[in-house]
Amino acid sequence: MIYAETEIKLKSGCTAVVRNARPEDAKQMIEYLRTVSGESPFLLREPDEVNFTVEKERAILQNKAESPNEIMLTAYVNGELAGNCSLASQGDKRRTKHRCCVSIALYEKYCNLGLGRILLSTVLGLAKQCGYTQAELGVIEGNERAKHVYERLGFKEYGFLPNSMRYSDGTTRGEYFMVKEL
């Protein structure tokens, strides 16, 4: 799905540019994912598990751009990649194609500027345009900042999976399952 590049003002007064992730962004996206995975215990991977090749990432980004119902948006602040937000189908079967999954990650230094809320609102609007009627996401126990944003956007908690994440030191965290009707 293609999204028209948009400039937005953040709480800080900075301008952010929101646009599709492009195949030529592949190397930068891999580096970004490694960094944010190290900054946050709330993401799926450890930094050393970000082991995609540039060619594989380029193909993923190309597929998102060509998809009629999926997208990966990126946000740039002062020309620097600040984060991304994606929309993915939960299936192509008639019984599940009304559902989509949204996910987001930002560099820590770009949190608390309103950027996450703007990216998520944009992706949720695109989801509705695609005909999805339900958006879903998971939020890891302890990530109260993100959970608060999701709740303000209309997501409701529908379940909790204990021990969803196991860390290198053996500790675990659960995951809240959240849903928003579109």
Side-chain angles (χ1 to χ4, degrees):
M1 175 186 316
I2 300 299
Y3 175 79
E5 188 171 299
T6 306
E7 284 192 11
I8 54 170
K9 280 282 191 205
L10 301 177
K11 288 191 244 182
S12 65
C14 292
T15 300
V17 174
V18 177
R19 66 167 176 79
N20 282 83
R22 301 173 183 149
E24 59 267 23
D25 299 331
K27 185 173 189 282
Q28 182 182 33
M29 292 298 291
I30 292 168
E31 292 166 7
Y32 153 79
L33 189 53
R34 277 193 192 111
T35 302
V36 296
S37 294
E39 287 181 340
S40 174
F42 305 120
L43 299 178
L44 180 63
R45 297 173 179 86
E46 293 288 341
D48 64 337
E49 294 175 308
V50 179
N51 51 17
F52 325 128
T53 64
V54 171
E55 294 76 25
K56 173 79 171 162
E57 182 70 5
R58 189 175 289 130
I60 290 168
L61 297 177
Q62 184 66 44
N63 287 339
K64 289 284 188 189
E66 292 174 357
S67 172
N69 61 348
E70 295 191 354
I71 194 166
M72 182 178 296
L73 292 180
T74 54
Y76 289 81
V77 177
N78 299 325
E80 179 180 74
L81 179 62
N84 80 318
C85 188
S86 67
L87 165 68
S89 172
Q90 287 287 63
D92 62 353
K93 304 296 183 255
R94 286 189 306 268
R95 293 181 180 182
T96 59
K97 70 180 188 177
H98 67 286
R99 297 170 51 207
C100 65
C101 179
V102 295
S103 57
I104 185 168
L106 301 173
Y107 280 120
E108 184 62 35
K109 72 181 187 177
Y110 293 109
C111 292
N112 297 316
L113 299 176
L115 183 57
R117 181 186 49 75
I118 291 166
L119 284 171
L120 283 165
S121 294
T122 302
V123 163
L124 291 169
L126 293 170
K128 194 169 184 173
Q129 289 175 22
C130 288
Y132 293 114
T133 59
Q134 181 169 300
E136 304 168 6
L137 57 79
V139 61
I140 300 302
E141 181 178 22
N143 194 354
E144 295 307 315
R145 179 174 59 193
K147 193 172 183 211
H148 178 72
V149 171
Y150 303 147
E151 288 168 343
R152 286 184 58 203
L153 289 172
F155 282 88
K156 294 183 179 152
E157 183 182 324
Y158 279 90
F160 181 77
L161 178 63
N163 306 315
S164 176
M165 299 275 245
R166 181 174 305 279
Y167 298 93
S168 299
D169 65 1
T171 61
T172 63
R173 290 188 192 207
E175 180 176 15
Y176 297 97
F177 180 65
M178 300 185 79
V179 175
K180 175 182 172 63
E181 299 297 321
L182 301 173

